[in-house]
Amino acid sequence: MKMNIHIWFIIFAFLVRNSSVLSQPDSLRGIQNDIMLHPCDSYTAYTLKKNEFVYNQSPFTFPLPSWAWWGITDKITAEIDLLPLVGGLFVPPHLPVPSLNFRFKLAEQKGFRPAMAFETMFQHLWSTQNQSNGPVVFVERFSGNSWYNHLNMSWYNSKKFRLHVSAGVAYNEDLTLSNLDSAKASTRFFERTINPNLSVSVDWRPTPWLSTHLTTSYGTTFVYLDNIPRKYQLTYGFRIAPFYKAKWGILRCFRAEFAAIYIHFPDVKASMTNYLPVFPYFYWQWNCKKKEKRKL
């Protein structure tokens, strides 16, 4: 466990040490102009700017790091799933879990034509993973591959309002869904299945420190119960930028997402519910730009 804590603090120390680059131009301060990739478990058509980074930390995985995004170019964003990479070292067979996610910008919005992006995520599990063992729902992925491919589309009509639609398919090698209610107990096994994914989301950003989000989806999602198909999900919540006017970059670039989630598995007639927005994770979003040399 000490090693886990050290890993997290190395990452956090890097952020503090580089607080001078955790900065945004005055015109970009606040949450209204943030590039958001998966707000409240939705899929947008946006990609980060070149050398723009997002580090996300869930309190439920602390002290292990959670996940990060990196703008490789203005048109290609990579997701670095730190938890399976690092956490896999502590779980038999003590190997990092291959988890690759990329988003490619296809088009900017032009009139009614939306912004578009292609997103793909591949993951290989070396051993069985229990992803939910609640009072009613049991979800388990066996060793093997999962892979989804999506076309994401986003529209905006002002700085404050956006609409996002995503559609695609997901391949899952092995999946078990169970209803643990003694009166409705049932279990379904799925092998080498291809399932549809669909997500519709809206977000409203009324102030520089607050954004609100509503997402409805069927199939695979990215954040809360990731890489699990065959589920209906409704998510609502908000993001805040409480220190967007702060002098220190480490505070100015701090964000947090609160979300309420309803998930239903029709195959086993079981549901998971969290009615009120809770504190699922916080994150920092910043650009790394080289300082221009002063002319003599």
Side-chain angles (χ1 to χ4, degrees), residues 206-227:
T207 72
W209 62 269
L210 174 70
S211 66
T212 60
H213 306 268
L214 174 65
T215 303
T216 180
S217 63
Y218 175 78
T220 299
T221 49
F222 181 85
V223 179
Y224 296 111
L225 193 57
D226 62 296
N227 289 288

Side-chain angles (χ1 to χ4, degrees), residues 32-223:
Q32 287 177 318
N33 291 290
D34 282 357
I35 297 172
M36 297 186 184
L37 303 181
H38 292 281
C40 280
D41 232 355
S42 66
Y43 293 89
T44 73
Y46 306 127
T47 52
L48 299 178
K49 298 296 184 182
K50 182 178 179 180
N51 287 330
E52 183 173 3
F53 292 86
V54 183
Y55 173 72
N56 306 270
Q57 179 64 49
S58 167
F60 305 114
T61 65
F62 184 85
L64 289 174
S66 298
W67 74 97
W69 289 300
W70 169 33
I72 300 175
T73 71
D74 287 351
K75 295 184 177 181
I76 303 174
T77 294
E79 187 265 342
I80 306 165
D81 213 350
L82 298 169
L83 181 61
L85 287 174
V86 177
L89 298 176
F90 304 95
V91 178
H94 304 293
L95 295 171
V97 174
S99 184
L100 305 173
N101 176 279
F102 293 94
R103 183 180 292 182
F104 303 90
K105 180 185 291 187
L106 302 178
E108 297 276 8
Q109 179 173 338
K110 187 175 182 181
F112 184 74
R113 188 192 73 186
M116 292 184 285
F118 171 71
E119 182 170 336
T120 183
M121 181 172 184
F122 173 85
Q123 190 175 80
H124 176 79
L125 297 180
W126 302 109
S127 57
T128 299
Q129 180 175 335
N130 177 0
Q131 288 199 225
S132 175
N133 192 8
V136 177
V137 180
F138 176 78
V139 179
E140 190 172 53
R141 292 167 62 200
F142 296 95
S143 58
N145 302 317
S146 64
W147 187 21
Y148 74 65
N149 293 279
H150 290 172
L151 176 64
N152 303 340
M153 295 172 285
S154 294
W155 293 263
Y156 71 90
N157 65 356
S158 72
K159 181 170 65 173
K160 296 183 179 181
F161 180 81
R162 292 168 175 80
L163 169 67
H164 314 288
V165 177
S166 176
V169 295
Y171 168 80
N172 289 80
E173 198 157 341
D174 287 284
L175 175 69
T176 297
L177 303 175
S178 297
N179 186 333
L180 303 180
D181 187 339
S182 58
K184 304 176 182 179
S186 62
T187 298
R188 293 285 305 275
F189 300 95
F190 300 94
E191 282 189 82
R192 297 179 177 84
T193 59
I194 296 177
N195 300 284
N197 293 335
L198 179 64
S199 173
V200 179
S201 174
V202 293
D203 69 72
W204 180 50
R205 309 183 189 187
T207 72
W209 62 269
L210 174 70
S211 66
T212 60
H213 306 268
L214 174 65
T215 303
T216 180
S217 63
Y218 175 78
T220 299
T221 49
F222 181 85
V223 179

